[in-house]
């Protein structure tokens, strides 16, 4: 699933590609992508309107088309690309926004998990996942104290699982959580309540650094991700994610892989010390009664 750096890269591409363009026609070929309103209402409301700006919140794209905002979540494999009007549709193209200048924006989604909501501009109250998002790690005010405060309700949860909760911290996914935990030297199975303030400070800084580096690299194209203009290169900078058995870039011990909360998790057992016996008991209690 595209994470914050990938969505921010897509946002920046769309700013360049479609800002100011007027929508001539919208075509929907897969109705379930459009949420809460019939596809014909969706297409009718957008016809004749112009793209004002493109925003982002967590993993959501916010395409402002006054008096509406189109909220797009790409889920696993959704992607956008620009085409010329009349260009043949690809197999998994599901939505097209045709502009008056002879270009069109196509939404393609092999897994068909992506969603589009059309809401009054700036009103996200009806989109549960967006309305409850936590703070963004790349914000200036994000620090260890804020991270500790946000994770307090997940105190018995493993730090890996807690960081993946979008209502705790927005935008982090599997790749960037593994990389952040490695940089901060924190084992992914540590229960949240065992972390000290100094560790929260390190982790908050690591999250911010990793995400900003990911944005600068245009995201990580480890599977099918690409922006409307290019593929990312952060996969060339990844240190532990997806590198099971390869030497740790710090100590050269083989990277290990475990599963936490159903998610493949990569770490170095030397640079990220294992849980203490007390921590392990907390994890066992958490699995029986998750917070």
């Amino acid at each position: 699933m595209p994470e914050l750096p990938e969505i921010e890269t897509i946002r920046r591409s769309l700013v360049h590609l479609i800002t100011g363009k007027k929508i001539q026609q919208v075509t929907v070929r897969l109705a379930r992508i459009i949420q809460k309103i019939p596809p014909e209402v969706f297409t009718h409301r957008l016809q004749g309107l112009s793209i004002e700006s493109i925003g982002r919140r967590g993993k959501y794209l916010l395409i402002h088309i006054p008096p509406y905002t189109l909220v797009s979540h790409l889920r696993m494999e959704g992607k956008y690309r620009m085409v010329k009007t009349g260009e043949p549709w690809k197999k998994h193209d599901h939505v097209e926004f045709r502009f008056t200048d002879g270009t069109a924006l196509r939404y393609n989604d092999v897994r068909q998990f992506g969603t589009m909501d059309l809401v009054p501009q700036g009103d996200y109250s009806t989109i549960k996942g967006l309305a409850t998002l936590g703070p963004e790690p790349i914000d200036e005010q994000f620090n260890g104290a804020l991270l500790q405060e946000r994770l307090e309700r997940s105190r018995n949860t493993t730090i890996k699982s807690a960081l993946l909760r979008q209502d705790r911290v927005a935008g982090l996914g599997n790749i960037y959580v593994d990389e952040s935990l490695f940089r901060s030297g924190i084992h992914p199975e540590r229960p949240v309540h065992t972390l000290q303030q100094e560790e929260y400070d390190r982790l908050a800084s690591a999250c911010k650094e990793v995400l900003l580096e990911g944005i600068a690299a245009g995201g990580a194209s480890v599977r099918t991700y690409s922006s409307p203009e290019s593929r990312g290169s952060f996969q060339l900078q990844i240190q532990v994610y997806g590198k099971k058995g390869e030497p740790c870039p710090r100590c050269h011990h083989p990277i290990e892989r475990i599963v936490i909360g159903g998610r493949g998790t990569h770490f170095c057992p030397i640079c990220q010390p294992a849980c203490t016996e007390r921590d392990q008991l907390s994890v066992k209690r958490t699995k029986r009664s998750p917070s």
Side-chain angles (χ1 to χ4, degrees):
M1 176 187 292
E3 303 177 31
L4 188 155
E6 289 75 45
I7 301 302
E8 177 61 19
T9 299
I10 293 169
R11 185 197 72 82
R12 294 181 182 187
S13 291
L14 292 179
V15 166
H16 169 67
L17 293 170
I18 66 173
T19 300
K21 293 196 175 190
K22 185 175 182 179
I23 299 173
Q24 182 179 63
Q25 180 180 334
V26 179
T27 302
V28 177
R29 290 191 167 186
L30 186 65
R32 68 169 175 268
I33 287 177
I34 311 304
Q35 305 293 295
K36 301 181 181 68
I37 59 174
E40 58 270 22
V41 174
F42 178 85
T43 59
H44 176 73
R45 288 180 178 176
L46 289 176
Q47 187 171 348
L49 302 181
S50 297
I51 311 292
E52 180 182 70
S53 60
I54 317 292
R56 180 195 55 76
R57 182 73 171 91
K59 301 178 186 180
Y60 291 86
L61 280 170
L62 309 174
I63 304 176
H64 299 297
I65 315 169
Y68 305 107
T69 295
L70 172 59
V71 180
S72 173
H73 198 304
L74 306 183
R75 303 297 174 185
M76 297 298 293
E77 294 193 23
K79 57 177 65 70
Y80 286 99
R81 77 179 191 282
M82 292 297 294
V83 300
K84 293 181 180 179
T85 297
E87 183 173 313
W89 288 61
K90 292 186 177 181
K91 181 178 180 180
H92 298 290
D93 287 345
H94 303 306
V95 182
E96 179 187 77
F97 302 88
R98 184 183 300 179
F99 302 113
T100 55
D101 67 352
T103 65
L105 181 69
R106 295 256 179 93
Y107 176 74
N108 181 284
D109 192 340
V110 175
R111 302 286 291 276
Q112 303 180 6
F113 292 155
T115 60
M116 294 184 188
D117 285 86
L118 193 64
V119 299
Q121 188 166 14
D123 181 4
Y124 310 126
S125 59
T126 61
I127 307 173
K128 182 179 179 181
L130 179 54
T132 59
L133 283 179
E136 304 217 356
I138 62 173
D139 287 349
E140 185 175 343
Q141 65 270 28
F142 188 83
N143 56 29
L146 178 57
L147 178 60
Q148 183 176 20
E149 177 186 330
R150 295 300 304 181
L151 298 187
E152 178 62 29
R153 288 180 294 166
S154 300
R155 54 182 284 103
N156 292 324
T157 306
T158 63
I159 186 62
K160 168 68 182 278
S161 295
L163 289 172
L164 290 174
R165 287 279 303 265
Q166 298 301 295
D167 60 343
R168 304 296 194 255
V169 182
L172 288 169
N174 217 27
I175 296 174
Y176 296 96
V177 168
D178 281 5
E179 293 298 301
S180 297
L181 289 171
F182 173 70
R183 290 198 187 193
S184 54
I186 298 172
H187 194 287
E189 284 191 309
R190 287 272 301 278
V192 168
H193 73 82
T194 67
L195 270 65
Q196 304 301 310
Q197 185 58 56
E198 185 272 336
E199 292 176 305
Y200 277 111
D201 292 340
R202 291 205 317 264
L203 181 55
S205 295
C207 289
K208 184 173 295 188
E209 290 171 1
V210 168
L211 290 173
L212 290 175
E213 289 174 15
I215 292 171
S221 294
V222 295
R223 292 187 178 88
T224 60
Y225 158 76
S226 64
S227 79
E229 297 181 294
S230 64
R231 290 176 61 81
S233 63
F234 186 70
Q235 66 274 12
L236 303 178
Q237 302 175 44
I238 285 175
Q239 296 181 300
V240 293
Y241 177 82
K243 294 186 179 293
K244 176 184 176 181
E246 297 184 26
C248 169
R250 291 179 183 167
C251 71
H252 307 298
H253 188 281
I255 299 298
E256 295 186 7
R257 181 185 185 277
I258 57 177
V259 177
I260 300 177
R263 307 298 297 274
T265 301
H266 300 82
F267 68 101
C268 172
I270 304 302
C271 297
Q272 297 165 261
C275 297
T276 64
E277 183 177 350
R278 175 186 172 187
D279 295 340
Q280 291 170 349
L281 289 174
S282 295
V283 172
K284 290 179 181 178
R285 288 195 298 269
T286 299
K287 289 179 178 178
R288 290 197 297 268
S289 180
S291 62

